[in-house]
Amino acid sequence: RHPDKRLTLELTLRDMGYSKAMLYRLEGPSKDAYNDIATPDTVKVVAEGLNLDAGTRLSIDLAPHSVNVLTID
């Protein structure tokens, strides 16, 4: 995670039949952002489906000040 810029994560997997992945990203407009009654969606979880390149390669764009969970099927 970086406070100001996006980062790219490159993964190379053994060819074990994986075909898809999901990235769940907890993100907000700043590292100090929070939700409250007036702004309940400032920080939110965003789900993104990802395709594996020939079942072995995956490139993920990581947003600034975010927490990411990757699942691979």
Side-chain angles (χ1 to χ4, degrees):
R1 110 182 160 199
H2 190 279
D4 300 320
K5 62 182 177 180
R6 299 182 89 74
L7 299 175
T8 300
L9 174 65
E10 298 279 342
L11 294 176
T12 301
L13 306 169
R14 293 183 182 166
D15 190 13
M16 299 178 71
Y18 300 120
S19 62
K20 59 184 175 178
M22 285 293 295
L23 179 66
Y24 299 93
R25 179 182 302 124
L26 180 65
E27 64 182 15
S30 74
K31 66 179 181 62
D32 298 318
Y34 61 91
N35 293 346
D36 61 17
I37 293 173
T39 57
D41 296 319
T42 301
V43 178
K44 59 189 170 198
V45 175
V46 176
E48 178 183 353
L50 305 170
N51 291 318
L52 296 172
D53 179 20
T56 60
R57 293 189 45 83
L58 185 60
S59 178
I60 303 169
D61 187 32
L62 302 174
H65 46 266
S66 66
V67 175
N68 300 273
V69 174
L70 175 67
T71 61
I72 301 172
D73 296 320

